Amino acid sequence: MGAQLGDKPAQTPTPTLEMVAALSGVSRATVSRVVNGSLTVTPDIVEAVNRAIAELNYVPNRAARMLASRRTQAIALIVPESSAKVFADPFFAQLVQGVALHLADTEYTLTMLIESETNSEKTRRYLLGGNVDGALVVSHHTGDHSYARLSGSLPIVYGGRPLLPDDGETLYIDVDNSGGAMAATEHLIGLGRTRIATIAGPVDMPPGVDRLLGWRRAMEERGLDDSLVEQGDFTLASGAEAMRRLLERDPRIDAVFAANDQMAAGAYQAIAEAGRRVPDDVAVVGFDDNYFAETATPQLTTVHQPSVEMGAAMAALLVQVIEGKPYEPHSVLQTTLVRRASA
Amino acid sequence: MGAQLGDKPAQTPTPTLEMVAALSGVSRATVSRVVNGSLTVTPDIVEAVNRAIAELNYVPNRAARMLASRRTQAIALIVPESSAKVFADPFFAQLVQGVALHLADTEYTLTMLIESETNSEKTRRYLLGGNVDGALVVSHHTGDHSYARLSGSLPIVYGGRPLLPDDGETLYIDVDNSGGAMAATEHLIGLGRTRIATIAGPVDMPPGVDRLLGWRRAMEERGLDDSLVEQGDFTLASGAEAMRRLLERDPRIDAVFAANDQMAAGAYQAIAEAGRRVPDDVAVVGFDDNYFAETATPQLTTVHQPSVEMGAAMAALLVQVIEGKPYEPHSVLQTTLVRRASA
DNA sequence: ATGAAAGCGCTAACAG
DNA sequence: CTGTTAGCGCTTTCAT
């Protein structure tokens, strides 16, 4: 087992731009132009240079490029540690996937930064140190846009709207939380349910607020009682407890809209404990459309949240801003109701 | 809604090392020494320099540093696109989390690269272009270590053992798949079950092979029949089908070990279809310990795989290698049986 | 359209 | 222990 540090094999000297210039018989400046796709280079020369590049297997040195051009071609993805723990949250995984996939087709590179209390200064320095051209902040449920202070010096795109009404220039991509919640509730109403409760998320998180709003709006529109609200914190356990309280308040509840799938899963438990069945006695609709929804028994009807698309949209917006192209400071992605067996 | 590209506010000139030198009355070299924690600097000077740094809010420029020192302080995390799609796989998310968390405490930065067919050359160039000091490859189930060609020029640590017996110098962190499978099977045996089947994974994936091996070993040790094997491909659907075949071959099966939780979930379905119950009629044990296990009904007894730790171990090993410290080329992380309701 | 020259901000011998 | 001196590899005016 016990090998020690490998003897680095003699490294072929990394080809430099200078070597390419020599081989193709032009100046370094010209090679640089070719590499950067300048249009003012004679086709013949372009070809000659490209041949030399291929022959030498030349790869431009990113650091040198960054240093000389003062552009980094890199984007930071900041994940608050609290969220990192919830990294298990499929939402993140998918969002990151969307970001990464989008960026894979560009010249940008993705640097992941986990920010914790102990290294927040490090993160800040990193961002300010000219290491990236912009940053993406995924805060998921918490609408904390405290990086705002940096946004003067660096473009930042957030996932999810800010908690506080913003100045209109904060960049973010959000999903239509209230619209999704309304659709979910209307679906329940359409099923003929009338005593519809909701397990809401925390009021200090935009999705919590917006989803509750959507439910309420739908209920009001039909003139239904919108008082059956209990709060959870987006965890399964909190969903179960909220559902128990709900059932205690009104045992005749015939439907419930949970602000996320985990809480809906918790609701399942509470409903079962109460000796009632989903969906016959209580119809359930969740929000997110993640594993919980697909693997629950019965499978959960829920509001699909386009997380991959959200990641892609965030990345796209940031690149847009970085490159000085016109952009919309924020947009809202549509959600769709996915019908399964629970409602 | 329609704002246009923000007018960049007048940027305070980024402080340079030179400015710090001027302010503190020493040479740039000395400032550099202080910044890099050289021990050969007079305390008084160190303090003076640090004061100047604080005052100017100086942050070293990473690009310049990389260029001059030829070290990048960056690590690439390569995710094959096929896996990226399965990014939804909690295993990945957790592994990435482990990597990121470990790196957060070091001076290294994490760059995520999604490799697809269309950009594999780009990835290769990136790695070879001196952009990172090393790379982490997560291939999960497929033991594909095809980046081996690069490992001459760049240290690479894999997650999971290679499919083919390696030269002994491939760097990887694996989990004890066979040991976990054995433990799972022994648990089933301990429950008094005797007709124990297994839903194996593909034979071209190390975890598939190793988990089957573990099951077989446990069965042989007790002199039990080890012929009840059906293969799946780690998906839920394949698990359901395998279980149906198994039940058809021998309806009296009283336990099954599935090579992962998703397939175990599939087995649940097939068992229910056959009018049998878990765990009364058929005890089930899975492998992975992810959402599927926790949210299944009844909750799944399974083998816990330390994915976060695996990510951290991979990162730690790579850093070790990069920094020229002694290291073990590969290690195997322990798995633990998590008892729940299915067995 | 191309080349020459001057750095980008930092580190790393090498002196002293 | 500290300062001097060269670059690291590339981009970018400015001439030509």
Side-chain angles (χ1 to χ4, degrees):
Chain A
M1 285 259 172
Q4 296 304 7
L5 49 147
D7 343 68
K8 308 224 167 163
Q11 201 102 349
T12 305
T14 306
T16 68
L17 183 151
E18 178 144 29
M19 296 169 62
V20 175
L23 181 57
S24 48
V26 297
S27 72
R28 296 183 312 177
T30 300
V31 175
S32 174
R33 291 191 183 98
V34 172
V35 169
N36 293 291
S38 164
L39 303 154
T40 71
V41 184
T42 308
D44 291 2
I45 299 211
V46 172
E47 199 193 323
V49 171
N50 280 327
R51 219 186 345 259
I53 288 179
E55 187 164 330
L56 294 174
N57 217 299
Y58 167 74
V59 179
N61 178 304
R62 171 172 268 255
R65 219 179 186 156
M66 281 171 58
L67 186 55
S69 68
R70 320 179 118 298
R71 263 175 294 112
T72 67
Q73 297 287 82
I75 284 177
L77 178 71
I78 304 175
V79 184
E81 190 182 28
S82 53
S83 308
K85 284 176 187 157
V86 195
F87 212 126
D89 189 332
F91 173 80
F92 274 108
Q94 292 190 275
L95 190 123
V96 173
Q97 181 187 165
V99 170
L101 286 177
H102 180 88
L103 256 26
D105 293 331
T106 71
E107 285 301 299
Y108 290 85
T109 253
L110 216 213
T111 293
M112 271 201 40
L113 301 181
I114 299 266
E115 172 166 51
S116 65
E117 290 173 11
T118 62
N119 72 356
S120 79
E121 188 49 26
K122 182 184 163 195
T123 302
R124 194 185 164 70
R125 300 203 154 220
Y126 189 84
L127 297 180
L128 258 29
N131 295 300
V132 292
D133 292 334
L136 260 19
V137 177
V138 301
S139 46
H140 196 9
H141 289 150
T142 100
D144 176 17
H145 286 196
S146 60
Y147 284 90
R149 319 165 209 169
L150 295 183
S151 51
S153 24
L154 199 72
I156 298 189
V157 171
Y158 295 87
R161 74 166 175 85
L163 186 55
L164 302 173
D166 67 299
D167 52 16
E169 258 309 330
T170 301
L171 306 172
Y172 66 84
I173 304 290
D174 201 358
V175 297
D176 187 7
N177 286 303
S178 62
M182 262 189 90
T185 310
E186 281 163 0
H187 172 66
L188 254 10
I189 294 172
L191 253 30
R193 310 283 170 150
T194 53
R195 224 173 279 280
I196 307 172
T198 188
I199 299 176
V203 293
D204 59 349
M205 297 185 180
V209 177
D210 297 345
R211 292 172 192 177
L212 175 56
L213 188 70
W215 170 82
R216 188 154 270 149
R217 201 174 286 159
M219 295 297 277
E220 279 172 0
E221 267 183 15
R222 306 303 178 107
L224 293 172
D225 170 24
D226 68 346
S227 68
L228 287 170
V229 180
E230 283 292 338
Q231 238 178 79
D233 62 5
F234 286 134
T235 63
L236 192 148
S238 75
E241 280 170 36
M243 192 67 215
R244 282 186 206 108
R245 290 197 298 272
L246 246 14
L247 253 13
E248 203 166 289
R249 281 174 54 181
D250 185 346
R252 295 165 309 166
I253 284 171
D254 59 9
V256 60
F257 164 61
N260 79 344
D261 292 346
Q262 263 121 310
M263 294 199 293
Y268 271 33
Q269 294 185 358
I271 292 169
E273 288 164 15
R276 317 200 62 192
R277 286 159 312 154
V278 175
D280 313 73
D281 301 319
V282 184
V284 180
V285 178
F287 203 116
D288 277 359
D289 192 23
N290 59 32
Y291 308 118
F292 291 96
E294 297 174 53
T295 62
T297 318
Q299 291 203 324
L300 185 67
T301 290
T302 187
V303 180
H304 176 78
Q305 189 173 201
S307 18
V308 175
E309 291 80 355
M310 183 168 173
M314 288 173 67
L317 172 56
L318 183 54
V319 169
Q320 208 80 351
V321 175
I322 290 173
E323 301 190 338
K325 298 183 182 154
Y327 61 86
E328 287 293 333
H330 30 256
S331 42
V332 176
L333 270 31
Q334 286 314 302
T335 53
T336 52
L337 184 72
V338 178
R339 286 215 52 182
R340 293 214 180 80
S342 70
Chain B
M1 283 260 172
Q4 297 304 5
L5 49 146
D7 342 69
K8 308 223 166 163
Q11 201 101 350
T12 306
T14 306
T16 68
L17 183 151
E18 178 144 27
M19 296 169 62
V20 175
L23 182 58
S24 48
V26 297
S27 73
R28 296 183 314 178
T30 299
V31 176
S32 175
R33 291 191 182 97
V34 173
V35 169
N36 293 291
S38 165
L39 303 155
T40 72
V41 184
T42 307
D44 291 2
I45 300 211
V46 173
E47 199 193 322
V49 172
N50 279 328
R51 215 181 353 255
I53 288 179
E55 187 165 329
L56 294 174
N57 216 301
Y58 166 73
V59 179
N61 178 304
R62 170 172 269 253
R65 217 175 188 165
M66 281 172 57
L67 186 55
S69 67
R70 321 183 116 297
R71 263 174 293 112
T72 68
Q73 298 286 81
I75 284 178
L77 178 71
I78 304 174
V79 183
E81 191 183 26
S82 53
S83 306
K85 285 176 186 156
V86 195
F87 213 127
D89 190 331
F91 173 80
F92 274 108
Q94 292 189 274
L95 190 121
V96 173
Q97 180 187 166
V99 170
L101 286 177
H102 179 88
L103 256 27
D105 293 330
T106 73
E107 286 300 300
Y108 291 86
T109 253
L110 217 211
T111 293
M112 271 202 40
L113 301 180
I114 299 266
E115 174 169 47
S116 64
E117 291 174 10
T118 62
N119 72 356
S120 78
E121 188 50 27
K122 182 183 164 195
T123 302
R124 195 185 163 71
R125 300 203 155 221
Y126 189 84
L127 297 180
L128 257 28
N131 296 299
V132 292
D133 293 334
L136 260 19
V137 178
V138 302
S139 47
H140 196 9
H141 288 149
T142 100
D144 175 17
H145 286 197
S146 59
Y147 285 90
R149 323 163 206 169
L150 296 182
S151 51
S153 26
L154 199 72
I156 298 188
V157 171
Y158 295 87
R161 74 164 174 86
L163 186 55
L164 303 173
D166 66 301
D167 52 15
E169 258 309 331
T170 301
L171 306 172
Y172 65 84
I173 304 290
D174 201 358
V175 298
D176 187 6
N177 287 301
S178 63
M182 263 189 89
T185 310
E186 281 163 0
H187 172 66
L188 255 11
I189 295 172
L191 254 30
R193 311 283 169 149
T194 53
R195 224 174 279 282
I196 306 172
T198 189
I199 300 176
V203 293
D204 58 349
M205 296 184 180
V209 177
D210 297 345
R211 292 171 192 179
L212 174 57
L213 188 70
W215 171 82
R216 187 154 269 148
R217 201 174 285 159
M219 295 297 277
E220 278 172 1
E221 268 183 16
R222 307 303 178 109
L224 294 171
D225 170 23
D226 67 347
S227 67
L228 289 169
V229 180
E230 285 291 338
Q231 240 179 77
D233 61 5
F234 287 134
T235 62
L236 191 148
S238 76
E241 280 170 37
M243 191 67 215
R244 281 184 207 111
R245 291 196 298 273
L246 246 13
L247 252 15
E248 202 166 290
R249 282 172 54 181
D250 185 346
R252 294 166 310 166
I253 283 171
D254 59 7
V256 61
F257 163 61
N260 78 345
D261 292 347
Q262 262 123 313
M263 294 200 292
Y268 271 33
Q269 293 184 359
I271 291 169
E273 288 165 15
R276 318 201 61 193
R277 287 159 312 154
V278 176
D280 312 74
D281 301 320
V282 184
V284 180
V285 178
F287 202 116
D288 277 357
D289 193 22
N290 58 32
Y291 308 118
F292 291 96
E294 297 175 52
T295 60
T297 317
Q299 292 203 323
L300 184 68
T301 291
T302 188
V303 179
H304 175 80
Q305 188 173 201
S307 18
V308 175
E309 292 80 354
M310 183 166 173
M314 287 173 67
L317 172 56
L318 184 53
V319 169
Q320 209 81 349
V321 176
I322 290 172
E323 301 190 338
K325 298 185 183 154
Y327 62 85
E328 287 294 333
H330 30 256
S331 43
V332 177
L333 271 29
Q334 286 315 299
T335 52
T336 52
L337 184 71
V338 179
R339 286 215 52 182
R340 295 214 178 79
S342 70

